[in-house]
Amino acid sequence: MGWNPRQIGDLSGRTAVVTGANSGIGRHEAAQLAEHGARVVLAVRDVDSGRAAAEGMKGDVRVAHLDLASLASVRAFAEGIEEPLDLLVNNAGLMEPPRYRETVDGHELQFGTNHLGHFALTALLLPRLLQAAAPRVTTVSSIAHFRGTDAVLEGNPPQTYVPGTAYGQSKLANLLFALELQRRADRAGLALTSTAAHPGVASTGLVADPDGLGHNPVVRHVLPILMRVVLPGGAGGARPVLYAATDAAPGTYTGPKGPGEVRGPVGEAKQSRFARDESLAARLWSVSEELTGIPFPVEG
């Protein structure tokens, strides 16, 4: 059976932020953290949906608006966190919009939302994280990061946009960021743990999202049914992320250990050669600071 959420310790007195916590694996992550005693902030784009999700959770849960595709929204959300922050779960994500689209700040939507939004959020929340005794940041990547290459530095330009490839680049960026954050925290002597995780392939609402794969009516209505037959649901997909957020060692990458890392017990996940490229990670860090206009308060 391996690790399961029942092994999470008492989180009383700790505060956690989970992005995209109104549905899918994010909802399960937030519910488990709250059930184990944490004060949990559901950071969501759709506040009504977030409130509906919160009603089904036990414990101290509140909802706050966060649109990762808007750096102004990221700033506003960060300014609203006024207490020490023990855990940040960079969970929210957008998958494979069929056409090239941009954030309000002019970045390709997947790269801007999945990576740049979380990069900026982590930077802006770092002072609150460092007020906690043992702060943790967990960033959700994907097995799709193997599609990514060093072209991740280009931020998915319109002339080369392919939905699946762009998604893979954004997920490679997530993994590069998480691992580089730990290296920089170590060099700075900070008591900060940064981990990464991926859910495998879970049957969640992400595939039905009309802004992504779900733009196709057949995919939106048929694929979720087929996935529910053979794949774990949101609770199963959340398990590696919860392990990374609560128990995993600094600088690790966690996922399911079954064939192809699609499902199975929690364990160490495989990384592409680009994900292991520390020079690429450092260059992406610099590009991300430039694109967001937010200097990250952890020097290289």
Side-chain angles (χ1 to χ4, degrees):
M1 292 294 291
W3 188 93
N4 66 74
R6 291 191 298 275
Q7 295 172 245
I8 298 173
D10 182 10
L11 301 178
S12 298
R14 302 182 191 179
T15 299
V17 166
V18 182
T19 67
N22 57 312
S23 64
I25 67 171
R27 183 172 183 170
H28 289 280
E29 292 156 13
Q32 285 290 339
L33 294 171
E35 190 170 323
H36 284 82
R39 294 183 297 271
V40 181
V41 181
L42 311 187
V44 298
R45 184 177 55 180
D46 184 338
V47 173
D48 289 339
S49 177
R51 288 172 179 156
E55 289 177 0
M57 298 181 189
K58 301 176 182 177
D60 187 351
V61 179
R62 70 177 190 263
V63 179
H65 178 258
L66 171 64
D67 182 356
L68 289 161
S70 164
L71 292 174
S73 177
V74 173
R75 287 185 181 277
F77 175 86
E79 290 171 359
I81 302 298
E82 299 177 344
E83 62 203 280
L85 181 60
D86 299 88
L87 172 62
L88 170 62
V89 183
N90 291 323
N91 166 84
L94 181 71
M95 185 169 66
E96 302 189 24
R99 294 175 300 279
Y100 178 86
R101 294 170 56 192
E102 293 184 347
T103 68
V104 296
D105 302 290
H107 308 300
E108 187 275 319
L109 191 59
Q110 292 183 94
F111 187 78
T113 301
N114 299 355
H115 169 59
L116 292 179
H118 282 125
F119 178 91
L121 179 66
T122 307
L124 294 169
L125 288 177
L126 190 65
R128 296 302 185 198
L129 284 159
L130 295 180
Q131 289 174 347
R136 298 177 72 96
V137 177
T138 294
T139 303
V140 179
S141 183
S142 168
I143 54 178
H145 89 270
F146 279 92
R147 303 175 195 164
T149 68
D150 53 5
V152 67
L153 300 175
E154 299 172 6
N156 296 338
Q159 59 269 27
T160 59
Y161 183 76
V162 176
T165 302
Y167 178 69
Q169 296 286 26
S170 75
K171 293 286 102 180
L172 173 60
N174 286 147
L175 184 50
L176 286 166
F177 165 64
L179 300 177
E180 180 68 6
L181 177 58
Q182 186 63 62
R183 286 189 287 266
R184 292 184 180 232
D186 288 344
R187 289 196 291 267
L190 302 178
L192 174 73
T193 291
S194 175
T195 62
H198 76 81
V201 180
S203 175
T204 71
L206 188 61
V207 296
D209 185 345
D211 288 331
L213 281 176
H215 76 279
N216 183 315
V218 175
V219 171
R220 185 165 65 249
H221 296 295
V222 176
L223 187 57
I225 297 172
L226 297 176
M227 291 179 69
R228 281 195 294 271
V229 175
V230 297
L231 295 173
R239 193 174 298 125
V241 183
L242 285 165
Y243 174 77
T246 59
D247 284 355
T252 55
Y253 180 42
T254 301
K257 291 296 290 180
E261 298 188 359
V262 170
R263 60 188 299 172
V266 170
E268 182 181 358
K270 296 177 182 177
Q271 302 174 27
S272 73
R273 67 182 181 90
F274 292 105
R276 299 191 301 270
D277 188 333
E278 295 186 16
S279 174
L280 180 62
R283 285 183 287 159
L284 178 65
W285 190 282
S286 296
V287 167
S288 302
E289 287 184 318
E290 180 180 348
L291 292 177
T292 61
I294 299 174
F296 208 105
V298 179
E299 295 298 328

